[in-house]
Amino acid sequence: MIRSYRESFNANFTAAKYEEFLQKADEGFPPIEFRLAETPVFIPNDLKALLIEAGDEVVNFIKKPGFKALTKKAIPFEWEVPFENSHPHFITLDFGITKDAEGKLMPKLIEMQGFPSLYGFQMHLSALYKEVFDLDPKLSPYFNGLTDASYMELLRKMIVGNHPPHQVVLMDLDVNKQKTAIDFYITAKHLGIKIIGLEDIFREENHICYRENGANVRIKRIYNRLIFDEVKDDFSLFKECFDPREIIDVEWMTHPNWFYRISKYTMPFLESKYVPESFFLHEVKTLPPDLENYVLKPLFSFAGMGVVIDVTEADIAAIEDPENWILQEKVQYEPVLQSPDGGVKAELRLMYVWPDGEEPMLAINLARLSRGKMIGVRYNKDFDWVGGTVGLMEP
């Protein structure tokens, strides 16, 4: 999007450089299970300013004193975890890049989560693009003047805190099988924390442990990467390890309830030029006449699962639990990134950290490129210049 960088990148791009980039991306780490795009996104200052403004509006809404009461029904009863803290430690906001009536770039909120994203991997990815493609060293994925060193120190403060690193665990289910496993390993490498599967954690009195070198190691803090949807309704696993919903002496980073509070459930409450119209389906009395300009989304799903893009009245009539769905104005992504053979659509994720006793801080970003109907692997299987990437900005 910054023309000078885009033209230079495209002119100097070679398949050999991209292959080198891919080889180095997971060198020393588990194989990457998702497609990496051929290019970063060069974010111009005017779009950067709009993204910051749009993000501020959403974060300020989350900070309002009544937010918890407003989102109480977002948490499924069977998944509510005790000892929820006063705010999320991580917030991610996904914005599709569109154009307004005047032809200017405009971010539109697509999705939001009170849950960690690829905070470690994005630092790694940015450095790799700059190295392999010989990009201007001043280009940065960070906001608020952060550098590699200050960003990593911020993550250390957030995730490890004052605890010994070996008593802080990054937790997910079947950790080595997760598509985001490379982020786990990069984070653990920099912070010294442990990567432990839920199935390898067990309860001992009122706290939890993992086993290492024949000894029980008490866990003081969980850097939680487990989305309960992965467990579904099969609670038998908890009988063999520990049940997160029980009262346990452990700190959550971030607490699981925030995954539900800051989600598609929040979208209908937001009013902003940066947010598409969104409605709880069970509250829609009359369907919009231009239904083709809306999408249907399940509240409690992730990675685009279950989204109906080309909505019909029959689709809506078939839904048995409309209270768990939203009807959302369709965002028309603009193919703003120029590849060698045409335009590519872009989505930018703003990634915030919120340390205890401080204000939320926009730290880094993630980008995804698409030529399909949606952003996501299964919609872009047969295309190039698509996939995961990062936005780079001038200071």
Side-chain angles (χ1 to χ4, degrees), residues 267-378:
M267 299 280 287
F269 300 111
L270 298 171
E271 295 182 7
S272 168
K273 66 181 180 180
Y274 300 113
V275 181
E277 281 193 320
S278 304
F279 310 93
F280 292 113
L281 187 59
H282 70 289
E283 295 180 355
V284 176
K285 304 303 180 186
T286 304
L287 293 177
D290 58 338
L291 200 54
E292 68 276 8
N293 291 324
Y294 288 79
V295 295
L296 200 55
K297 296 182 176 182
L299 285 178
F300 307 119
S301 70
F302 60 103
M305 296 295 291
V307 174
V308 181
I309 305 171
D310 301 311
V311 185
T312 66
E313 291 188 18
D315 292 324
I316 293 175
I319 292 176
E320 299 178 354
D321 56 341
E323 69 279 4
N324 291 326
W325 291 75
I326 62 169
L327 188 65
Q328 186 179 96
E329 179 187 6
K330 188 178 289 184
V331 173
Q332 300 295 341
Y333 288 72
E334 189 72 18
V336 294
L337 188 147
Q338 189 63 39
S339 78
D341 62 349
V344 179
K345 294 176 281 190
E347 187 172 283
L348 294 170
R349 174 174 296 174
L350 302 185
M351 299 161 62
Y352 296 77
V353 296
W354 193 344
D356 289 326
E358 300 181 26
E359 289 294 303
M361 180 182 184
L362 177 55
I364 197 169
N365 78 87
L366 177 152
R368 293 188 290 177
L369 303 182
S370 172
R371 298 184 194 243
K373 281 189 174 183
M374 284 181 64
I375 302 285
V377 174
R378 61 187 177 279

Side-chain angles (χ1 to χ4, degrees), residues 21 26 53 89 93 128 207 246 260 273 305-306 361 377 385 388:
F21 167 78
D26 54 12
E53 181 177 84
H89 294 100
L93 307 176
L128 194 61
H207 54 265
E246 294 178 347
Y260 297 104
K273 66 181 180 180
M305 296 295 291
M361 180 182 184
V377 174
W385 287 65

Side-chain angles (χ1 to χ4, degrees), residues 35 341 371-372 376-386:
R35 192 180 195 281
D341 62 349
R371 298 184 194 243
V377 174
R378 61 187 177 279
Y379 298 98
N380 290 275
K381 287 181 179 178
D382 301 321
F383 301 120
D384 59 5
W385 287 65
V386 298

Side-chain angles (χ1 to χ4, degrees), residues 1-179:
M1 299 177 202
I2 301 178
R3 179 172 295 179
S4 60
Y5 290 115
R6 173 53 52 211
E7 291 178 350
S8 173
F9 186 94
N10 288 11
N12 291 286
F13 177 85
T14 66
K17 283 185 180 179
Y18 180 54
E19 285 303 316
E20 179 188 354
F21 167 78
L22 293 179
Q23 289 172 12
K24 289 185 175 181
D26 54 12
E27 196 171 45
F29 297 110
I32 295 175
E33 299 293 338
F34 51 91
R35 192 180 195 281
L36 296 178
E38 283 82 345
T39 178
V41 177
F42 300 110
I43 302 175
N45 285 332
D46 54 352
L47 178 58
K48 176 183 176 181
L50 292 177
L51 285 164
I52 291 171
E53 181 177 84
D56 283 347
E57 288 188 10
V58 177
V59 171
N60 287 337
F61 183 83
I62 295 168
K63 288 170 59 180
K64 288 183 176 180
F67 183 77
K68 273 198 170 187
L70 188 69
T71 56
K72 182 172 178 56
K73 292 182 180 179
I75 307 169
F77 173 77
E78 66 272 21
W79 284 118
E80 188 164 8
V81 175
F83 299 132
E84 180 184 321
N85 58 327
S86 60
H87 64 79
H89 294 100
F90 299 93
I91 300 172
T92 63
L93 307 176
D94 290 346
F95 290 93
I97 306 305
T98 71
K99 283 189 176 179
D100 64 15
E102 298 177 354
K104 296 179 179 178
L105 297 180
M106 170 67 72
K108 285 281 189 174
L109 185 67
I110 302 298
E111 180 68 276
M112 52 196 301
Q113 288 185 333
F115 190 78
S117 184
L118 307 182
Y119 282 84
F121 181 66
Q122 289 309 108
M123 178 188 71
H124 172 78
L125 190 61
S126 168
L128 194 61
Y129 274 118
K130 291 164 69 174
E131 173 197 338
V132 174
F133 293 99
D134 194 25
L135 302 179
D136 191 330
K138 74 171 181 282
L139 290 170
S140 172
Y142 303 115
F143 298 87
N144 289 301
L146 289 170
T147 63
D148 285 350
S150 61
Y151 174 69
M152 189 48 59
E153 191 54 39
L154 178 61
L155 286 190
R156 187 180 306 281
K157 178 174 73 171
M158 287 289 302
I159 297 171
V160 181
N162 296 320
H163 299 294
H166 72 284
Q167 291 189 289
V168 178
V169 302
L170 187 157
M171 184 189 78
D172 204 337
L173 186 66
D174 294 328
V175 287
N176 292 314
K177 296 180 181 178
Q178 295 295 329
K179 287 186 177 181

Side-chain angles (χ1 to χ4, degrees), residues 256-273:
N257 291 355
W258 287 104
F259 173 79
Y260 297 104
R261 290 189 184 277
I262 301 174
S263 65
K264 288 185 285 289
Y265 186 93
T266 319
M267 299 280 287
F269 300 111
L270 298 171
E271 295 182 7
S272 168
K273 66 181 180 180

